[in-house]
Amino acid sequence: MQRGRGDRPGFSGLRVASGSGDLIEDIHRQQRRRTLKRAAQLIALAVALLLIGVAVKMFFDRRARADALEVAYTHFVKGTPSETDKAIKALQDSLDGAAADDPRTLVARALVLAHRRAELGEGDEAAREAVAAISGNPPGAALARGLLEFASGELDAAAASLAADTAADGEHEPTPFVVSERAWLAGMLAVAREPDDPAALEAAASGLRAQLDRAPAQVAPRRVLALIHLVGGKTELALSELQAAREQGRTHMGLAADEALYNAYLRQALSGVASVSEQLLETPGVSMSPHDRAHARLARAVVHVHSGEAAEGLAMLDLAWEGLPAWDRLSRRLAIQSALEAGDASRIDAWVDATTLPQAEGDIYRAWAVLVGGDVMEALRRLAALPQSDPWVGYLQALALVEQGRFAEATAWIDRTEKLLPGRMEIEVARARVELREGDAGQKKVALRKLEALAREEARAPRAWTGLGEAYLLQDAAPGTPEGVANVAAARKALRRAVEREPHPAEATLLLAQLWDGQRGRDPKAELEGLPLYEQAAAANPNLPRYREALALYLFEIGFSRRARTEMEAVLDEPGVGHAVPLGLVQLRAEAGEAFDPEPLLAKALERGAPPAEVARLRARIDLDSGKKGRVAKAQAALLGLLAQDPKDVEARVLYARSLLEQFDRKAAESAIRKGLAAVDGQNQDGRFLWAWAELESRAGKRRLAAPRARRAWLAMQAEHRPPTELLEVADLAMRLWLRLGKERTALVISKQLTDRLGYHTKAWMLRARTELGAGEAAAARESAQKAIELDDANHRAHEILGHSLLRYGLKDRARREYERAIELVKGTPLEPEYRQNLKRL
């Protein structure tokens, strides 16, 4: 059977699809296409969602950074240490979160940390690390470095960094931190670098006012603005600006420290300054930066110094100085001045070296330190080389000239200082002291009242109590009158207060010593009280020769010849030393029996204003001591010339009588003495004539006449308050004469009177011991000789007499030691052979 095409195996009308025409494949293809499309859509959606998320994140990160900057700035403007710490924390949290490498946040953190270091004195290491973390040179980077440079006292470098930062803005808008710190640093640099330039201060103040317009509540710029006003002399504006800052920042203790410091700087409201500063320093829990604490300490130190509490003030100044920043010229200047006002110069060189000051200002403080140390001449020399237009130079010139006693010269400088530096108490005191010397009786009374008020109201004012003591002494009331006695008592009281309160009370001590001079002869303790005061005055100011000169002359007057000579030789050629020193040296050398030419010293005395009559008398005395006929005649002629000029010249007449005696003309000598007594009749000056008459009669062998006359001379010269050297000589004559007459009791009475009057003097006790030994009172002589040796172990005569008195009791070994000591003291002199005879008799 034949098969047709329709007879192939399979189904009729069906074909196996192949190629594109495969239905199944198409279905699969379409499914795959739909799947891929759906995946693409999902990916696109995911990408879109991702982009949206990134955009949202970026938005919120920016928002977070901006919020962090805003929060940090809000804390920063408050200015307290705790708020500054909160600002730093907010910025650090931002960097730890969304703003890990954000330049603006890094710069803001660096600026806040650097500002804290510069203004408050805290966190140096953290500030430096934050500044180093800034990469590139965004706005504020150079400024942050400038703040650190300013904190270190590198003012020029800080100014350069500020200028560089301003130039680096470009297209970037600076943050409020950058704008604020630029104004702050510019203001501080003006204060630190150009405090005497009104234009520079005003430019800086303008920038700060602009910043305060942007951020009225910000404390730091307002503090700087107040400081600029203070430095520029606008004190009312300074205090007003500071008050405004305090109203804005009531919890800012640094502003309270500023207020205390400003008032201390202006020397006003000092009781309030003390109260505020003590509360800041002593109240538990008060939060202050190191700089603000230093300011509170400085304010308290100023009050201590002004109140006369020098030790407390200096101790507080030392504590304050440790916290004062290098740029703080105003505070450091106040510390330097306060130390000088406290009378301490030991810190000044180091403090001036550590402070950025103009050369002239530093030299002024150094000259002031020299003046405080008492070296007035050196201070004046230094001041002469400084700008004479500077008011502080004039101020110091005035004080130095008054201290030196050059009152007429000081007047012009006082006038000038009162105009340029008004209200200085030291100048008011100096003015009153000048008026006391240069004014009439009415001006002296006005000066007294002025000094009384100053001493009462400003009890610790330098030299106020010294000036008051001088004022009482320089009033015209006659000594001995009720008013005069009252003035002396008031002067002594004022001067004692000066000694208690002044850091260098040499002048007050000297005046107290001179007050005791007036009591000599009336009070047996006068010399004992006076000598230590002269010594204290010389020790209190060794740089001013007149105090050592006064000591030397006092030693000479009371008969302490060996010490007097040492002191006189030490000051002989010092500036300002008067004619009494060379004259005294001539007399001491002559009395010691030295062979020397007195003319150089006498010429020096004349150059220094010695009265020619005084020099002529001393020259005549030396000629008489020589015993040479020609020189005695020369002396006699000179003395006659002096008597022709002044018939009442007691010393010249006594020496003239002596010259006649040297020429064996006793009648003429007695006549000269009688004429002298007649010339001074009723003037209480006859003691020396009686003494000379007694010597004349003694040399003539008229002891019965000489002894009572010598005793009368002794009593008269005590009443006349003659110097101890003369009293010793006349008492010596009287005791010898009465012993030779066999009137031991009278001689012993005189010897006791002598030690009652001059109990401090080794020679008085030696003369008493000699008299007691001559009167057979060996035990009493022994005690008196020992007393003389206690006062001066170099008293060879006392050792000799003690040896004699010991020998009377058979104490040969002890007597030998005293004789040997006496020989040791006179070795090489004519007395040595005489004293060796004592040993031979043992």
Side-chain angles (χ1 to χ4, degrees), residues 255-525:
L255 295 174
D258 283 353
E259 186 174 20
L261 178 67
Y262 286 16
N263 281 299
Y265 179 81
L266 298 170
R267 308 298 199 283
Q268 63 185 25
L270 293 182
S271 60
V273 170
S275 175
V276 170
S277 56
E278 284 177 359
Q279 290 179 57
L280 291 172
L281 295 170
E282 298 174 9
T283 303
V286 172
S287 174
M288 278 194 301
S289 72
H291 288 175
D292 292 333
R293 185 168 296 277
H295 287 164
R297 285 171 170 162
L298 176 56
R300 187 66 187 93
V302 170
V303 180
H304 276 309
V305 170
H306 190 272
S307 300
E309 300 162 349
E312 296 88 339
L314 291 168
M316 190 66 77
L317 281 174
D318 286 337
L319 290 173
W321 186 267
E322 293 173 4
L324 295 177
W327 52 260
D328 194 353
R329 186 188 298 182
L330 180 139
S331 296
R332 289 188 167 213
R333 176 186 288 124
L334 180 58
I336 291 169
Q337 291 177 1
S338 297
L340 289 167
E341 289 171 355
D344 184 271
S346 63
R347 299 158 171 77
I348 303 309
D349 281 339
W351 285 7
V352 169
D353 289 342
T355 305
T356 304
L357 294 171
Q359 179 68 38
E361 183 178 355
D363 289 342
I364 289 171
Y365 291 137
R366 295 183 203 278
W368 192 347
V370 171
L371 179 60
V372 163
D375 195 345
V376 179
M377 296 297 294
E378 175 62 15
L380 286 169
R381 186 190 67 77
R382 294 189 181 205
L383 291 167
L386 294 171
Q388 300 299 289
S389 60
D390 190 295
W392 287 102
V393 171
Y395 163 78
L396 295 173
Q397 293 263 33
L399 295 183
L401 290 168
V402 170
E403 196 72 7
Q404 200 180 17
R406 294 160 62 181
F407 300 105
E409 295 176 65
T411 302
W413 292 105
I414 292 173
D415 292 342
R416 186 168 176 274
T417 303
E418 285 178 335
K419 294 176 183 176
L420 299 176
L421 295 173
R424 301 293 301 189
M425 289 177 297
E426 308 93 308
I427 293 298
E428 291 185 49
V429 173
R431 166 76 72 188
R433 294 178 73 188
V434 169
E435 289 170 350
L436 287 169
R437 269 74 175 195
E438 301 294 310
D440 56 24
Q443 289 174 307
K444 290 179 182 179
K445 288 190 179 297
V446 171
L448 172 61
R449 301 295 170 254
K450 186 187 299 183
L451 288 163
E452 285 176 332
L454 281 169
R456 181 173 60 251
E457 296 166 10
E458 305 289 348
R460 302 287 181 172
R463 294 290 185 268
W465 288 103
T466 296
L468 182 57
E470 292 173 326
Y472 282 120
L473 293 175
L474 291 170
Q475 297 305 306
D476 290 340
T481 64
E483 187 180 354
V485 171
N487 283 345
V488 169
R492 182 174 280 114
K493 182 178 179 181
L495 294 170
R496 283 173 176 164
R497 290 198 178 183
V499 170
E500 292 169 1
R501 299 180 179 191
E502 293 181 9
H504 298 287
E507 188 67 21
T509 308
L510 178 61
L511 290 170
L512 276 175
Q514 291 170 343
L515 277 178
W516 280 109
D517 275 0
Q519 297 299 309
R520 283 164 48 189
R522 303 183 186 91
D523 185 347
K525 297 179 181 177

Side-chain angles (χ1 to χ4, degrees), residues 23 51 68 120 127 134 188 254 353 431 462 471 524 726 767 797 838:
L23 181 59
L51 291 173
L120 305 180
I134 302 172
M188 294 304 294
D353 289 342
R431 166 76 72 188
E726 294 183 6
L767 292 173
R797 286 286 289 145
N838 295 325

